[in-house]
Amino acid sequence: MARQGYRVWAARLTVVLILLCGIAGLAMRSLWQEFANKSIVLHADPGLQKTPGDLEIATAHPLDPLLDFARKAHRNHVNNHRDYTAILIKRERVDGKLLPESKMAMKLKYGKKPDTDAARSVSVYLKTLEPKSQAGREVIWVQGRNDNKITAREAGLFGIVPLELNPDSRLAMMGNRYPITDIGIEKLLGKLIEKGERDRKLGTATIRTTENAEIGDRQCRLMEVIHESPTTTIDGQTIEFEFFLAQIYIDDERLLPLKYASYSWPKQPGGPPELLEEYTYQDLVLNVGLNVSDFDPKNPAYGF
């Protein structure tokens, strides 16, 4: 009887040991899986944010809504808009000096969409309306035509003979922050995407949104991007931001930016920021059916 009792006790002990080993195995498997999951998340995205549990999870960047708009607007513009007319109003700081506001009647026509990601070619006609001292100045640039040169006619007596200029020549760049090759809404959207992606990699930014802003008779949404500090440090390298404040006025109905402005940091703490550049598209009309004659200096409506 004693031997039989011993055998029963030994059998029961064996069962208990097997159960304990199984439970321990499950626990170790669970711990290993948790560790593996931690390792995966820690290496998932370099732009992650710490949580109290020492795990890191991907989070949206403040610039994402603006980047989403710019990408969507760019696709829509390329796929659906062939040309447009507008009144282009610009203010620029050139060589440290803020120049007077310039207002121009504008015609722009796009070429065929290329097979690559490059921007479409453009044909541009500009006629200065203001300031009065420059009123009547006309410029035509057809990308790829006339050795890629600008045809320009000055206002008044200086416009007797039209000029042929390289877009980046000193005379063509006089009083301009950028060459005519950068003009247009498609190029503006490309710059918004480029600057947004760059700033997203450099760190955080403050975003302010204001509804019911207006550009002319168009209701817009104003998005502002603010960099609190002029510089940031990445891997020990100091990198400068391009602006303190950028303002983008978005026509949500037509999915287009109607105004872009950027400002540098205030000279004095608490003082006003300094305007660097400002571009406004008023009276924008899309797909009007512009043709070759709209970009021909021989057009009898022009003064070339």
Side-chain angles (χ1 to χ4, degrees):
M1 291 293 292
R3 182 176 295 178
Q4 184 176 0
Y6 171 79
R7 289 175 178 173
V8 171
W9 179 85
R12 289 177 178 175
L13 180 61
T14 301
V15 171
V16 170
L17 288 173
I18 292 172
L19 289 174
L20 288 174
C21 288
I23 292 171
L26 289 173
M28 289 298 295
R29 182 179 178 183
S30 177
L31 287 172
W32 172 254
Q33 186 63 46
E34 183 178 353
F35 174 77
N37 287 340
K38 281 187 178 183
S39 299
I40 291 170
V41 174
L42 285 171
H43 296 86
D45 188 338
L48 299 174
Q49 186 175 22
K50 295 246 182 181
T51 64
D54 290 331
L55 292 177
E56 294 184 276
I57 57 174
T59 57
H61 193 280
L63 284 169
D64 285 350
L66 180 57
L67 277 168
D68 289 345
F69 157 75
R71 294 186 185 113
K72 188 185 298 183
H74 187 272
R75 288 194 300 269
N76 180 66
H77 191 58
V78 170
N79 292 330
N80 297 307
H81 301 148
R82 303 179 302 276
D83 59 41
Y84 59 84
T85 61
I87 300 298
L88 175 60
I89 304 170
K90 74 169 186 174
R91 295 178 69 199
E92 294 180 323
R93 188 175 297 275
V94 179
D95 296 329
K97 181 180 179 181
L98 184 62
L99 301 181
E101 180 180 274
S102 177
K103 184 180 291 188
M104 294 167 283
M106 175 182 187
K107 298 179 181 179
L108 186 145
K109 184 178 187 298
Y110 292 111
K112 291 183 179 179
K113 181 180 177 182
D115 294 332
T116 65
D117 292 334
R120 292 176 289 178
S121 63
V122 297
S123 301
V124 183
Y125 168 80
L126 298 170
K127 183 175 182 178
T128 301
L129 306 176
E130 296 177 7
K132 188 176 180 180
S133 60
Q134 300 172 9
R137 175 187 292 172
E138 293 178 292
V139 173
I140 288 178
W141 179 62
V142 178
Q143 190 171 349
R145 192 182 77 183
N146 192 29
D147 293 329
N148 217 41
K149 290 183 178 181
I150 298 168
T151 301
R153 183 188 71 83
E154 280 296 328
L157 295 176
F158 294 102
I160 295 176
V161 180
L163 302 174
E164 303 289 333
L165 305 171
N166 288 320
D168 57 354
S169 65
R170 184 174 181 179
L171 189 56
M173 289 295 297
M174 189 176 296
N176 294 294
R177 192 175 175 91
Y178 304 104
I180 197 170
T181 53
D182 285 353
I183 199 169
I185 293 173
E186 185 173 333
K187 292 290 181 66
L188 172 58
L189 287 166
K191 289 289 181 67
L192 289 179
I193 295 170
E194 178 185 322
K195 291 182 179 183
E197 289 177 342
R198 176 180 181 271
D199 282 4
R200 193 184 192 282
K201 295 176 182 178
L202 294 180
T204 189
T206 300
I207 305 295
R208 291 192 308 222
T209 301
T210 304
E211 303 293 340
N212 300 320
E214 293 183 352
I215 297 296
D217 60 352
R218 302 295 302 183
Q219 289 289 319
C220 294
R221 172 168 50 104
L222 169 59
M223 295 191 72
E224 297 178 291
V225 182
I226 303 166
H227 295 128
E228 303 294 345
S229 172
T231 61
T232 187
T233 302
I234 304 293
D235 296 330
Q237 181 181 1
T238 299
I239 302 173
E240 294 184 357
F241 288 109
E242 293 184 20
F243 56 83
F244 162 61
L245 167 67
Q247 297 178 322
I248 305 98
Y249 289 76
I250 299 168
D251 183 341
D252 284 314
E253 182 181 350
R254 295 187 291 183
L255 206 62
L256 288 171
L258 294 186
K259 179 178 178 180
Y260 171 82
S262 69
Y263 297 79
S264 64
W265 282 263
K267 293 291 186 183
Q268 301 294 333
E274 287 194 343
L275 180 66
L276 294 173
E277 55 192 10
E278 180 181 81
Y279 310 97
T280 306
Y281 291 87
Q282 282 191 354
D283 302 330
L284 178 67
V285 182
L286 299 162
N287 297 333
V288 296
L290 299 175
N291 56 48
V292 175
S293 66
D294 289 293
F295 309 97
D296 187 348
K298 296 180 181 178
N299 188 321
Y302 301 158
F304 291 94

